[in-house]
Structure formats: structure tokens, C-alpha cells
Amino acid sequence: MDDDLDAAEAGLGQGNSSFHKLGKGMTSTLRATLGFEPEIMREASERLAEAETQSSADHQRAQRDPHAYHSSIYSPGSEFALCHAESQLMIAVVGVLNESLTDGIKGFYKLRKAYITLDGLLEAEKRYMQGKSAGSINGSRRNSIDSLRSTGSARSMKRMPGGFEDEPSTSTPTQRQTAHEPNANQKDLEEANPPLDSGRVMDDDAIDEFYDAHEGREVNRIPQTGTENVDVNGATEKMADMSAANPSVSNSRTLPSQPVRQTTQHMLDHDPGSEVFANPIDIFIHSGSNLCFGFLLLLISMIPPAFSKLLFIIGFHGDRDRGLGMLWQATKFHNINGAMAGLILLGYYNGIVGFCDILPDPRHGFEEDVLGGYPKERCEALLSDMRTRYPKSRLWLLEEARTQAANRRLESAIDLLSDGIKSPLKQVEALEMFEKSLNVMYLHRYALCADSFINCVSLNNWSHALYYYIAGAAHVELYRRSKSSDPTTAQAHAQKATELLRQVPKHAGKKKFMARQLPFDVFVVRKVNKWEARAKEWSVPFIDAVGVSPVEEMIYFWNGYKRMMPAQLEDSLASLCWSEDPSRNWLWEREGLDERAVLAVLRAATLRNLGRFEEAKTILKRDVIAHDRTLFKGHLRDDWTAPTAHYEMGVNLWMEGNGDKETVRECAEWVEKVARWESYSMDARIGLKVTTAQDTLKKWEVRRRGG
């Protein structure tokens, strides 16, 4: 997490335990998710499969080994069950990012299996907390310590990444129990968590072998996938013996308390220094299960309506607030689990929340730092903590730049990404360039925007079609702005724009997501083909057949308006005005409903971000919603405008209201119309906004009723 994956590889290569193999798989997964290179994805899949196989075997052996570590919270072998679930979760992520539909579907089944294991770990925590009084927790802490020592692992109580200095034991000899002679609390735990049936082999390709996540299950059941001869105790000892270099690890900056509603005592109420956490292995399991389960719940909660059928494969539903709460809990621990949770949270708040519009806010009765909204103070504290922990990492600098952009400080964001220092990870360098490219696009710096997106082509092979498209669109704007004042310069920009835009179809379709073309690739190819057809039909140069500002259209799809100050929003309005100005665009009178609807939606979105809600609603109703939706469909047409106009109506109502019942319910009606809309261009992207809006509106209704 400090941008030194080569050193991580070297260290992890010195061992063959489940933990070493999981670590190696995680380094490859991090590279794969940052850069999407096929060869890195293949390497990650292979490494994770090894980790999955070995952790399954280790888990079975730990259940049978009387000398294995016995926790007062979890059943024997739970540390390997967690490794197994983590490997499955990462296999699923890599599989979904892969171009193969088969790998993607298998990935969703892996999610289901990981869910079952993680749910079992959390159920063990729940039973532990329910069965312990405040006075018995201290005794349980001592019992877990003594159980670890009884296996010959006393030295494992040294601090590990995520561990904390052990307090001197005050237990008497009668309180000390061995693994062979569990105390009463341990016996109670074993009765609550009966030995697992670890002999069942589950074939990933046999769908019938999976059972629904809501059915009865035994705790930490994981499939048998290998029978290597592994020294389980040695692996656990080595994991527990890893020590943190900094003895003051527990004195990090304190995050503001999280507003999680609890009805019973829960482990989420406890910080790393709590008596509940007896030793490094318990810390590893607790932080890891919160990371993985929290990520799962958050991920599934964001599936847009267009992909709702995936929920039938996965077998369970998401819970955004619970997932966020668990991820925040994981960030308390200074280990890889805490760091990954921090990366996910900052990515969610700066990316997903920054992309969406209908979010919990104080005007609608939500707390200022509600997890589903944008808890600014908590995010800033988390980012500060992570940058202190990992000062060399550009990943956290990237997140700081995104935080600046989310707070409408685009210039500061660009400055952070323009310091001339390169990350040793080319994947991070590519992400920095892409982020910078978006920010200069929002600032309407068209020349720099074009150059930056062209640089993305050489740094990353994800969507060259999109990069060429936005670079060409930037030159379209430069052409339009210089057409009257400097015809020579305008012609140069026209030539460059035409050259870049005609590159788009040649580079589209090279990357796929679950055997389907990337949505943006499909979108930009359709736009270029539309302009080619218009140029032929109207007998005009290609550059003059380009419709309403394609840059502003891209800004909308990345929700750049939300990151702009009023001055930049006014610049956007000026760019949009060019299209309908007959003195500059004599072809506007030939435009039909299709292109006029694009202008209406983009103008309304800009006005909404300026707080001019009534103007925005009037434009949407008059220029889009008043027309039959079938008129927006057809070959090469922008059919996304009609559903998006309905969504924008809901956003305007939400933003101009103060939580009054009728306004919010009308907002919900508009959102539900979009949720039920048939397939349309960019529906997954708009659908993400719709899913978040539905989640927010449900929470509002629950709060209104006093839930």
C-alpha cells in the first residue's frame, strides 16, 4: 500500500503459507484492478486459485489439529476460512473485470460462496458478544491469549501489522487452559459452533452444489479444494509473529465516531485497543471479515437496474449502510485489511458518491456525517491517516486530488497531480493522468484536455476509443471558438478533430466487460457514425456535422458539473449556446428533436447545479418530457435523453426541497419511472445514479416514519 509492490513480492516470496499466497494474489489483484492488463489478470487468477486451494486445506487441518489456535470468538481454523473467502472475493473481482462471460459468471458464484463463509465469521462474533457480559470479556481475552500460548506460540503475541501491545496477564494458573483442556467458555463456543463438515467438495462449475445464502448453514463452511501437506501451526505462528515496525501504531489520528445504530452490543462498537481483541489472529479475522463483507454488501447495493438479474445469481442483496459501517470499522486496524478498506471507502465517496446526486443531506433530516452521504470530516481524517501511514504512495495522493475535486477545488486537484513525481506503478501513473484529464476538461482547458487524453493512450490500454473521442471533442470546441476570429487556426483544429474522431471506431471493441463491449465504446462509436451520416446527408464537412457540444456531454456523464464553481458552469452554458446561435451555427434549423433534447438535458443539468431549479424543470418538461418517448428511439439516435430527463426532474425536486413529504414523493415517482425504463444507451451509468437515489429515498421514508 506504499507503492512498493516489488518489495512486497520479494517478502511474500519467502514463504508458502496460505497467508503468503494470499498476499501474492492480493498484489497481483491490486495491479489488475488499477490497470486492467490481461496478463496481470491471468497472473492474479492463478495466484488466487493457489491461495484458495491451500487455505481450504489448511482450514480442514486446523479443525482436526488439537494444537491449532483456539479463539474464544471464532471456531478453529477461522483465519484460514477468512483467507479462503478473501481469495474467492478477489477471484470474483478479477473474473468480472475479465473479458470472458464465463469467468464473470463464475465470479458471481464465488461472491456467493465468500458471502456464506464471511457471514459465518460474523455470526460467530454475534454469538460471542451476546453470550458475554462486560465482566467476562476480560476473562475471555486471557483465555484466547493462553490458548495461543498453549500451542507453543507465545512469541506470536508480539505486535503484528494490525496488532497491539499485549497487556501483562493477571490470570491465575487455574484460569490458564490448554488447547487440550478448553475452559467453560470455550466449550460453550464449541457447542454454539459445532465442528464443520469439511469433507464436502464443491465444484465451482456445478451450479446445483450452491445453496442460497439465506438457508441454514454451518459457520465458516468452506469447500475442500486441495490436500497439500501444510504445517498449519507454523503458518499461523508466522502470521501472528509478524510485528509492526512502529510501536506507537495504536496512537494514530482518531477518526470521528461513526453514526451506526445498534440495538445490541456489537463488535463494531469496539476499537483496536478493546479487551475484546485478544491477539493478532483475532484482529486479523475481525478486520478482514469486516473488509470483505463490508465490500460485498456495498458492491451489491450499487448494482444498477439494468443488471438486476445478477442478484438472482448472487443469491443475496446488498446493504449500503451496513457495508459502509463495516468498512469504517476495518480502517481502525493498521494492517492490509485496514488499508484496503480505506482505499475502498475513499474510492466510494470520491467516486460513486461524487458521481450521484440524490444523497442523504441535513436538509432532508439526515445527520451531517451520515455514512450514505458524504461524511467530509471522517473522509479527511481517514485520508490524513493513510497518507501518514504510507507517505510514499501515490494512490493516496490520487485520492487527495479526488477529494479536492469533489469539493470543487479543481485547480488544487490538478496541482497535486502535476508535481512531476511518478509512481513506480505504471497503473497508478495512468490513473493520475486520467484524473488530471477529467479535471482539465471540467475547467474547459481544451488544448490541455486533448493532450492529456492522448497521453492516456500510451499509459493504459483500457478504452483508447474514449480517449481519442474526448481529445477530438476538445479540438471541436477549439474549432468553434476560433472559427470566426482566426480561420487558419480553426481549420487546423478541424483537421485534428476529424483525424482523432475517425480513429474512434478503429479502437473500439478491443476491450470487453463480461463479453460485452464497454458502454462508452458503444456510445462514442455511435456518435461518430451519427455525425458521418449527417455529414453525408447534409453535404457538409464532418466537423460541421458534429452536434451539441460533445465535451459537455462527456462532462455530464462524468458528473463534472457537480465539481464546478459557478464560473465554470457559466462557461458550460456558453458552450451550449453555440449550437442554437444562428450567427455561428447555421445548421441548427435542420436539427430535429433528437439533438434538441441533448441540448435541453445538458442545459438543465447545468442550471440545476447553479441552483436555478425552476428554469431547469421548465426546459426538461417543454423540450423532452412533453414528447412521446418513442420519438427518441431509432438508429443512431440519443435515446438516453428521455430517461435522463425524468431522472433530472427527480434531482431538481430533491435539491430544491427541504424534506417536505409531497416534494420527496414526487421525486421518488420520477426516479421510479427511470428505474422501470427499458434498455437505452448508457443505462448502466444512469442506473447507478438511480440505484443510489432509490436507496436514499427509502432511508428518507424510514426516517419519516420514525424507523
Side-chain angles (χ1 to χ4, degrees):
M1 302 307 297
D2 207 22
D3 280 13
D4 197 356
L5 293 188
D6 290 338
E9 294 272 8
L12 292 165
Q14 296 176 15
N16 285 310
S17 73
S18 291
F19 308 107
H20 287 84
K21 289 187 176 182
L22 179 65
K24 286 189 283 188
M26 185 174 285
T27 59
S28 294
T29 301
L30 187 59
R31 292 183 195 268
T33 53
L34 291 176
F36 305 105
E37 293 96 339
E39 61 277 7
I40 300 297
M41 290 188 184
R42 283 193 294 271
E43 177 187 76
S45 297
E46 292 169 1
R47 287 182 167 187
L48 292 169
E50 288 184 20
E52 181 188 25
T53 298
Q54 181 151 336
S55 57
S56 176
D58 284 357
H59 175 259
Q60 296 168 55
R61 294 176 188 280
Q63 290 180 305
R64 299 192 297 265
D65 187 349
H67 298 288
Y69 166 63
H70 282 252
S71 168
S72 290
I73 304 173
Y74 310 99
S75 61
S78 289
E79 63 270 35
F80 299 112
L82 174 62
C83 288
H84 191 267
E86 285 201 45
S87 63
Q88 288 181 321
L89 184 56
M90 287 187 282
I91 288 172
V93 171
V94 174
V96 170
L97 292 177
N98 206 329
E99 297 182 4
S100 167
L101 178 61
T102 302
D103 287 348
I105 293 175
K106 285 182 178 180
F108 285 111
Y109 282 115
K110 291 286 187 183
L111 288 183
R112 187 175 180 179
K113 294 166 70 178
Y115 176 98
I116 294 166
T117 301
L118 295 166
D119 190 48
L121 291 170
L122 296 170
E123 283 295 318
E125 291 185 357
K126 181 179 179 181
R127 282 193 296 273
Y128 171 80
M129 295 304 295
Q130 289 175 341
K132 304 298 178 185
S133 64
S136 67
I137 291 177
N138 290 336
S140 298
R141 173 180 173 81
R142 291 190 292 271
N143 292 331
S144 281
I145 293 172
D146 292 330
S147 174
L148 190 64
R149 286 173 175 164
S150 71
T151 65
S153 305
R155 59 191 176 86
S156 69
M157 291 314 298
K158 297 176 183 177
R159 283 174 295 101
M160 62 172 286
F164 296 87
E165 297 234 73
D166 181 35
E167 298 175 2
S169 175
T170 58
S171 60
T172 64
T174 57
Q175 290 174 308
R176 295 191 179 98
Q177 306 291 332
T178 68
H180 304 285
E181 300 173 337
N183 58 27
N185 289 336
Q186 183 64 35
K187 289 178 180 177
D188 291 341
L189 178 70
E190 289 174 352
E191 290 176 4
N193 298 335
L196 305 183
D197 175 14
S198 59
R200 180 185 178 199
V201 178
M202 295 177 68
D203 184 356
D204 289 343
D205 296 322
I207 296 175
D208 292 339
E209 289 294 319
F210 294 94
Y211 53 89
D212 191 85
H214 299 290
E215 296 173 1
R217 55 193 171 273
E218 295 171 350
V219 181
N220 302 352
R221 176 193 294 273
I222 64 175
Q224 176 181 351
T225 55
T227 57
E228 289 92 333
N229 184 16
V230 181
D231 179 2
V232 177
N233 278 338
T236 304
E237 275 192 43
K238 290 177 183 177
M239 188 277 290
D241 197 33
M242 295 176 183
S243 61
N246 182 4
S248 60
V249 68
S250 60
N251 296 323
S252 61
R253 178 175 177 179
T254 302
L255 296 177
S257 60
Q258 58 185 17
V260 177
R261 295 190 296 275
Q262 300 291 343
T263 56
T264 59
Q265 190 181 30
H266 197 281
M267 288 185 77
L268 291 186
D269 298 325
H270 294 270
D271 291 330
S274 168
E275 293 292 324
V276 169
F277 300 112
N279 55 69
I281 295 179
D282 287 346
I283 288 172
F284 171 72
I285 298 171
H286 176 72
S287 60
S289 57
N290 276 276
L291 161 68
C292 296
F293 205 74
F295 174 65
L296 261 179
L297 293 176
L298 178 63
L299 179 69
I300 302 306
S301 74
M302 296 187 296
I303 290 181
F307 292 92
S308 60
K309 289 183 179 179
L310 292 176
L311 293 174
F312 291 100
I313 298 176
I314 297 168
F316 60 90
H317 293 277
D319 185 331
R320 192 168 303 203
D321 280 0
R322 186 185 176 199
L324 289 169
M326 296 178 81
L327 287 167
W328 279 111
Q329 173 70 2
T331 63
K332 296 176 182 178
F333 300 89
H334 286 212
N335 56 17
I336 184 64
N337 297 324
M340 288 299 297
L343 195 61
I344 292 169
L345 282 169
L346 291 172
Y348 169 76
Y349 286 116
N350 293 328
I352 303 302
V353 171
F355 174 72
C356 297
D357 308 289
I358 300 178
L359 298 162
D361 58 58
R363 291 187 301 106
H364 290 85
F366 293 92
E367 297 88 349
E368 186 72 39
D369 61 346
V370 63
L371 297 185
Y374 186 81
K376 182 179 178 181
E377 183 183 353
R378 285 181 58 79
C379 287
E380 289 177 350
L382 175 63
L383 181 58
S384 174
D385 185 36
M386 291 299 172
R387 291 210 66 187
T388 301
R389 288 196 219 176
Y390 310 106
K392 298 178 183 178
S393 176
R394 303 286 295 185
L395 269 176
W396 307 106
L397 182 74
L398 174 63
E399 289 303 332
E400 183 168 346
R402 287 173 172 169
T403 299
Q404 293 290 332
N407 288 290
R408 299 178 186 262
R409 295 192 287 267
L410 292 170
E411 296 282 3
S412 297
I414 293 171
D415 289 342
L416 282 170
L417 299 173
S418 303
D419 59 4
I421 301 174
K422 292 185 178 182
S423 169
L425 297 176
K426 67 174 184 178
Q427 297 91 346
V428 175
E429 184 184 354
L431 285 174
E432 287 185 348
M433 180 56 68
F434 183 72
E435 189 70 22
K436 178 181 176 180
S437 302
L438 289 175
N439 289 335
V440 295
M441 179 173 72
Y442 305 151
L443 288 172
H444 304 97
R445 295 181 183 173
Y446 300 117
L448 182 56
C449 174
D451 292 342
S452 298
F453 274 106
I454 291 300
N455 285 336
C456 288
V457 173
S458 61
L459 292 171
N460 162 301
N461 62 359
W462 179 241
S463 182
H464 288 181
L466 176 64
Y467 305 153
Y468 281 117
Y469 180 85
I470 299 179
H475 281 285
V476 169
E477 294 295 338
L478 290 169
Y479 161 74
R480 290 176 175 180
R481 296 194 173 203
S482 57
K483 188 177 179 180
S484 301
S485 59
D486 189 347
T488 302
T489 300
Q491 190 56 38
H493 286 303
Q495 183 177 347
K496 190 65 175 177
T498 302
E499 175 189 329
L500 290 170
L501 290 171
R502 282 179 169 161
Q503 287 287 321
V504 171
K506 299 176 184 178
H507 292 274
K510 293 184 178 181
K511 282 287 180 182
K512 291 183 170 58
F513 178 77
M514 294 186 67
R516 297 174 63 183
Q517 284 195 52
L518 301 179
F520 264 123
D521 277 12
V522 175
F523 180 86
V524 297
V525 168
R526 179 186 59 78
K527 295 291 287 192
V528 171
N529 290 339
K530 177 180 181 179
W531 299 332
E532 292 280 17
R534 284 150 55 100
K536 183 177 181 180
E537 179 185 352
W538 295 350
S539 299
V540 297
F542 174 83
I543 189 70
D544 291 324
V546 175
V548 174
S549 173
V551 167
E552 294 302 322
E553 200 171 36
M554 284 292 110
I555 289 174
Y556 179 80
F557 283 125
W558 290 98
N559 211 356
Y561 295 135
K562 190 176 180 180
R563 291 165 170 77
M564 292 182 184
M565 296 294 284
Q568 284 100 46
L569 291 167
E570 292 293 347
D571 284 345
S572 288
L573 286 177
S575 294
L576 293 170
C577 284
W578 183 93
S579 293
E580 59 182 1
D581 183 349
S583 66
R584 293 183 291 176
N585 180 24
W586 59 276
L587 291 169
W588 181 250
E589 62 182 16
R590 304 182 69 169
E591 295 286 8
L593 175 63
D594 182 46
E595 204 68 25
R596 293 174 186 269
V598 173
L599 176 62
V601 171
L602 299 180
R603 177 174 283 161
T606 309
L607 292 170
R608 167 174 63 78
N609 280 276
L610 283 166
R612 294 156 63 176
F613 304 117
E614 288 302 322
E615 290 179 70
K617 290 190 293 183
T618 298
I619 290 172
L620 292 168
K621 290 178 180 177
R622 180 192 66 213
D623 297 340
V624 185
I625 297 171
H627 301 278
D628 189 322
R629 67 167 67 179
T630 60
L631 298 177
F632 298 95
K633 299 178 182 179
H635 182 56
L636 300 180
R637 292 186 180 179
D638 283 277
D639 61 353
W640 61 272
T641 55
T644 303
H646 285 70
Y647 169 77
E648 282 291 325
M649 283 295 297
V651 179
N652 276 283
L653 289 164
W654 179 259
M655 290 188 169
E656 71 178 343
N658 291 304
D660 59 288
K661 183 173 66 175
E662 294 306 317
T663 301
V664 175
R665 286 189 171 173
E666 185 182 354
C667 164
E669 289 173 3
W670 287 106
V671 170
E672 286 305 312
K673 287 180 182 178
V674 188
R676 295 192 298 267
W677 211 277
E678 61 272 18
S679 177
Y680 56 91
S681 178
M682 304 300 287
D683 54 2
R685 200 162 188 82
I686 302 300
L688 181 59
K689 295 186 175 191
V690 171
T691 302
T692 301
Q694 289 176 311
D695 183 73
T696 300
L697 292 164
K698 287 177 184 176
K699 290 175 187 172
W700 177 87
E701 186 65 29
V702 169
R703 286 172 178 262
R704 188 187 69 82
R705 294 179 178 178

